[in-house]
Amino acid sequence: MSGTPPTRRVALLTLGCARNEVDSEELAARLDADGWEVGTDAEGADVVVVNTCGFVEKAKQDSIDTLLAAADTGAKVVAAGCMAERYGKELADQLPEANAVLGFDDYTDITDRLESVLRGESHASHVPRDRRELLPITPVERHTAKVVVPGHATVDEHTPAHLRKVLRRRLDTGPVASLKLASGCDRRCAFCAIPAFRGAFVSRDPQELLAEAEWLAKTGVRELVLVSENSTSYGKDLGDPRLLEKLLPQLAKVDGIVRVRASYLQPAETRPGLVEAIATTPGVAAYYDLSFQHSSEPVLRRMRRFGSTERFLDLLDSARKLAPAAGARSNFIVGFPGETKQDVDELIRFLTEARLDAIGVFDYSDEDGTEAAGLDGKIKDATIKRRYDRVVALAEELCAQRAEDRLGEMVEVLVDTTDDGEVEGRAEHQAPEVDGSTTLVSSPEEGVDLSMLRPGDLVRARVTGTEGVDLIAVPVEMISAAPVTR
């Protein structure tokens, strides 16, 4: 008599952005449905799948280091995600420690691929190609194409979107989760390789998004972070470029959700109506994650982007007129080919006047397959480092000053963790992972009992101190208590 087959264990390790996290949870759902024991701990796993990041050199090195560490556990190791898609056979040839390198087209057959790896069979890795060419040039025709787009899979395309089973399995139990609006990008920024391996821009059906939001809320999620390569393009391929403005209030009304946060906004596409929707819709964080990248017009033109110091300041001012305490963050590249000292001075002027809550700074390096890699006017490494150090030092000072500006403000804090008596959360202007946080402390005069707070609680708190970009605040009122877990 044959016994029950042993349970196969797979660990999913996710690197890079929140979009990758959503993709990992799609893979987790597929594997769970096929009987795998799914987790995030490589120890004791039969197979470790590393969902890699392929954005910049440091991220790629982190991915390789993680793959090598996974190989040391004795488990079979599989590379997936952006780096695997971007390099395919080249990565497989250079990294024999990986038992397989999977592209996005393998995701729908993930169980077959992993079972093949466990049997010791070899996997022929794909030769990378520009995934933009897989979809029609005209955006409104893309939804008819049968192309694998991670995070967009459906169980039954013939069932109405709002009735479909959600193909997702959460890999953590925190009160915050990402919701993928779209994948791919139609922009042609000179420094970015992402569109080539993520493909052209494709929006998800709004009814499908609402159904997934309801499902996430039932798992204990209290804040939704809307992610994509370019959230401001959402709906353009569905015939409605203003669809995000309409979707935000619908998501905010989902039972159990207390905060919706939009991210990855392109300044050139951030219309007045969207600025207003983010600033004034109840339940939507007055928070602007704007991809400025620089503020000097000559540099932006060479980057194939649009804007200027004055235009960006006007955009921020339009948001703050509607919501004076609105949060704003952005990333910037220094040392782009052709950048002059005057360009850096212009960037410094913008940063000084912009009053951003969080600033990310990257030092430019050539990326395979990008237009910028072939541009003239390359900056010496020593000069890039000097400019980078200058901008980073200023950014830290300015963000600390911006935090101090919030002393005495009342902020709404979503509690994330309550470890060892320390209660930490985030105010509206603080996105998870990338921005600062707020530590809640007790006060003898006023406040909510800290010992009663749980992850997912939303409280109103008074800012009493700062530590760099982080806030210290006293909770004075419970706005919405997290539901008791069943």
Side-chain angles (χ1 to χ4, degrees):
M1 184 175 67
S2 61
T4 302
T7 301
R8 303 155 296 177
R9 292 192 59 206
V10 58
L12 286 164
L13 309 184
T14 307
L15 302 174
C17 65
R19 302 184 295 274
N20 260 13
E21 294 173 3
V22 176
D23 296 349
S24 287
E25 293 189 347
E26 177 194 312
L27 292 176
R30 292 182 182 279
L31 291 164
D32 182 70
D34 289 337
W36 291 76
E37 182 181 327
V38 182
T40 57
D41 186 356
E43 292 298 328
D46 299 302
V47 185
V48 177
V49 178
V50 181
N51 190 347
T52 60
C53 179
F55 180 42
V56 292
E57 196 59 40
K58 183 181 183 303
K60 288 183 281 189
Q61 187 58 53
D62 287 345
S63 295
I64 291 172
D65 291 344
T66 303
L67 286 162
L68 294 175
D72 289 340
T73 67
K76 299 289 187 179
V77 177
V78 172
C82 292
M83 187 178 179
E85 175 64 38
R86 184 175 181 184
Y87 293 104
K89 186 177 185 301
E90 180 184 347
L91 178 62
D93 291 343
Q94 295 182 6
L95 196 70
E97 292 84 356
N99 298 96
V101 173
L102 304 183
F104 295 151
D105 290 336
D106 291 307
Y107 281 23
T108 54
D109 300 312
I110 187 64
T111 284
D112 289 344
R113 299 293 182 269
L114 298 194
E115 289 179 342
S116 174
V117 166
L118 283 179
R119 290 193 298 267
E121 299 170 357
S122 61
H123 174 77
S125 300
H126 67 286
V127 176
R129 77 283 202 204
D130 190 333
R131 291 190 72 87
R132 289 172 294 194
E133 298 174 358
L134 302 178
L135 288 164
I137 294 176
T138 305
V140 294
E141 297 176 355
R142 291 175 186 165
H143 283 266
T144 61
K146 302 299 182 183
V147 176
V148 175
V149 181
H152 288 236
T154 58
V155 176
D156 178 8
E157 64 183 14
H158 302 295
T159 299
H162 68 287
L163 297 177
R164 294 173 190 160
K165 180 181 178 182
V166 174
L167 190 61
R168 183 169 180 178
R169 180 189 183 281
R170 294 196 68 199
L171 292 172
D172 66 54
T173 57
V176 183
S178 297
L179 182 64
K180 182 180 277 194
L181 289 175
S183 285
C185 186
D186 289 339
R187 300 183 71 87
R188 294 294 184 268
C189 300
F191 55 82
C192 185
I194 290 175
F197 57 84
R198 274 291 183 179
F201 185 88
V202 182
S203 300
R204 293 181 65 197
D205 186 292
Q207 294 304 314
E208 187 173 298
L209 290 170
L210 287 167
E212 187 168 327
E214 291 173 357
W215 177 84
L216 287 167
K218 290 175 182 176
T219 71
V221 170
R222 302 278 277 162
E223 177 176 330
L224 299 173
V225 181
L226 310 184
V227 300
S228 69
E229 274 75 27
N230 176 8
S231 297
T232 39
S233 280
Y234 178 69
K236 73 173 188 179
D237 51 328
L238 300 177
D240 187 354
R242 298 183 182 275
L243 196 54
L244 181 56
E245 300 166 31
K246 301 172 183 177
L247 181 64
L248 284 171
Q250 293 178 285
L251 289 171
K253 290 179 181 177
V254 170
D255 188 31
I257 299 300
V258 295
R259 181 186 287 166
V260 177
R261 183 184 304 276
S263 61
Y264 302 101
L265 307 177
Q266 286 290 341
E269 299 178 36
T270 305
R271 299 169 299 277
L274 180 57
V275 173
E276 182 177 358
I278 292 173
T280 63
T281 303
V284 174
Y287 172 83
Y288 296 85
D289 175 17
L290 293 156
S291 176
F292 290 130
Q293 304 298 348
H294 213 285
S295 72
S296 168
E297 282 195 84
V299 174
L300 288 167
R301 296 299 175 270
R302 286 175 70 85
M303 289 180 170
R304 294 200 179 277
R305 295 178 66 85
F306 303 94
S308 66
T309 293
E310 301 309 328
R311 289 182 183 179
F312 292 163
L313 290 175
D314 286 345
L315 176 57
L316 291 168
D317 183 59
S318 68
R320 287 167 177 153
K321 283 180 178 176
L322 295 167
R329 79 168 325 273
S330 191
N331 294 323
F332 299 88
I333 298 172
V334 294
F336 190 81
E339 182 189 63
T340 66
K341 182 180 180 300
Q342 290 72 32
D343 294 324
V344 178
D345 290 341
E346 183 68 1
L347 175 58
I348 294 295
R349 181 172 79 88
F350 171 72
L351 293 175
T352 303
E353 296 183 29
R355 297 170 59 236
L356 298 173
D357 293 276
I359 299 170
V361 185
F362 293 87
D363 49 343
Y364 173 81
S365 62
D366 288 338
E367 278 294 313
D368 300 335
T370 63
E371 179 185 353
L375 291 178
D376 57 11
K378 294 291 172 59
I379 312 298
K380 294 179 180 179
D381 289 346
T383 302
I384 292 178
K385 184 178 186 308
R386 187 168 61 250
R387 292 176 181 177
Y388 171 82
D389 290 344
R390 178 188 176 192
V391 175
V392 166
L394 176 66
E396 291 177 351
E397 178 184 349
L398 292 172
C399 291
Q401 289 176 359
R402 179 66 181 135
E404 290 178 1
D405 290 344
R406 296 188 181 277
L407 285 169
E409 273 189 14
M410 297 296 291
V411 294
E412 294 187 0
V413 178
L414 182 75
V415 176
D416 283 331
T417 59
T418 56
D419 295 334
D420 297 325
E422 183 171 292
V423 182
E424 188 171 359
R426 291 167 299 99
E428 279 191 81
H429 68 282
Q430 297 170 324
E433 306 297 336
V434 294
D435 298 340
S437 62
T438 299
T439 299
L440 297 176
V441 297
S442 59
S443 168
E445 290 82 21
E446 60 179 350
V448 175
D449 184 355
L450 290 184
S451 66
M452 301 298 291
L453 292 178
R454 295 176 297 119
D457 287 342
L458 183 68
V459 300
R460 184 169 288 106
R462 188 188 316 282
V463 180
T464 58
T466 65
E467 293 181 356
V469 297
D470 299 326
L471 303 183
I472 300 169
V474 174
V476 299
E477 179 187 2
M478 176 71 76
I479 300 174
S480 175
V484 177
T485 304
R486 290 191 289 272

